[in-house]
Amino acid sequence: MNKPMKLTILGATGSIGMSTIDVMLRHPDKFTAYALVGHKNATRMAELAAKVHPELVVMTDEDAYAALKGKLPQDVKLAFGMDAAEAASAHDDVDMVMAAMVGSAGLPATLAAVRAGKRVGLANKECLVTAGRIFMQAAKTYGAEIVPVDSEHAAVHQALAGHDRDSVTRIILTASGGPFRQRDPKTLRDVTPAEAIAHPNWSMGAKISIDSATMMNKALELIEARWLFDAKAEQLSAIIHPQSIVHAMVEYRDGSVLAQLAMPDMRSPIVYAMQAEPRLESGIPWLELAQTQPLEFQAIDDERFPAMVLVKAVLAGEDSLAIAFNAANEVANQAFQDGKIGFMDIVATVESVMAKTNNLYVKSLEEVWSFDAEARQLAKDLIRIC
Ligand code: NAD
Ligand code: MG
């Protein structure tokens, strides 16, 4: 029998991290943990470490690291900081890294995994949005395999498998439309963070739930798809599908369209990223189409979701625009969660920051961080004014 695959889970205490652990524990003969990496949630990490028994726990927040001392099973080592997270990703014993930190904070540890030639399950879409070119180049150079965990991209991956890439005419991502798909646009100003986080179909972390409500999530996913599948802007599109059963479609030159369907539960794309074939049980409910709501599709209303208009300029432009788009959104999303700006100000902030950003090709990680910092500062200045 093959040895179990050893994983490092970046963002282990989050929604994707915990679903990964759920899948892992269903298949103890197939998967074990080398390291669990978390940020601030020491209590949850102590619970997870007791359940999973990794060799190492890393906390990137100093207080959480201090709080965990003496709280882990005796044989579990504890380390602090982003350097330790990078080392946990690149460690020789690790076969696969699940990249599930949120935001561009996940970039260094995920890139460390790529540069160590690991199999990388990529949930953290912000990595590819900000540094897609550098990531994909590094994957080629170091022989790393990047497998999508985002449900739409996992669906595209499955609909592409075994088919001729040159025959693809369109990649179509589905979007649920979030909690405000039908709400009167005039009332969107008054939306609260709790309302925006309450996604109708998916249970996810706060940031991505708000991104779904603004449709920034779909915009980021189009950029993610561009890098993952080496797609041209004109091949990429999105459509609203409120039931979140069809996750994406690939259209071929002959008019044939291949779709992937599953109940909306991230354990399905997670298990697929961990082992594509033969398929493993994921624990998600079976899809009973005769018992579900009819499957509906509709065009995305640009007026309600201006993020989808902005992303067209990003897809047509150079890398600096994507970096600014993501960084400004991270700042504005957090400011909305903190009650500093209104819901409609999120995308407005992104738009203003993009208008002030030069459209430039980006070659190095230093340049990525410099554009990222500049956009964050611009967004913060705007938020202070509004
Ligand atoms: P979450 O908020 O539930 O968890 C985020 C994780 O990142 C936590 O473990 C947290 O400790 C860690 N983290 C937060 N800030 C950090 C920092 N500054 N440094 C280091 N670690 C930090 O988020 P999530 O919903 O699990 O999403 C994680 C990623 O996966 C995001 O990029 C998201 O877009 C993507 N994703 C999530 C889903 C989903 O269903 N939740 C689906 C598709 C893609
Ligand atoms: Mg998605």
Side-chain angles (χ1 to χ4, degrees), residues 125 150-152 217-218 221:
K125 63 196 81 185
D150 215 345
S151 54
E152 298 77 1
N217 183 48
K218 211 50 51 185
E221 288 183 355

Side-chain angles (χ1 to χ4, degrees), residues 135-201:
F135 254 83
M136 299 318 282
Q137 186 54 51
K140 223 187 251 172
T141 308
Y142 297 98
E145 190 184 0
I146 298 182
V147 276
V149 170
D150 215 345
S151 54
E152 298 77 1
H153 305 72
V156 171
H157 195 271
Q158 292 172 75
L160 285 173
H163 297 286
D164 172 40
R165 284 299 179 90
D166 291 337
S167 303
V168 172
T169 42
R170 271 192 304 170
I171 290 174
I172 305 156
L173 309 183
T174 60
S176 68
F180 309 135
R181 182 173 59 90
Q182 289 171 316
R183 185 166 160 152
D184 179 355
K186 289 198 281 295
T187 68
L188 285 177
R189 284 195 175 282
D190 313 320
V191 159
T192 64
E195 286 174 307
I197 289 170
H199 196 280
N201 304 344

Side-chain angles (χ1 to χ4, degrees), residues 240-279:
I240 287 189
H241 167 46
Q243 293 75 31
S244 300
I245 298 286
V246 176
H247 299 295
M249 293 168 267
V250 176
E251 179 194 71
Y252 290 90
R253 194 182 290 138
D254 59 359
S256 180
V257 177
L258 300 190
Q260 188 262 352
L261 286 73
M263 292 295 280
D265 185 318
M266 288 307 291
R267 288 174 297 174
S268 160
I270 287 170
V271 82
Y272 177 75
M274 288 161 76
Q275 178 180 302
E277 308 283 351
R279 302 255 172 170

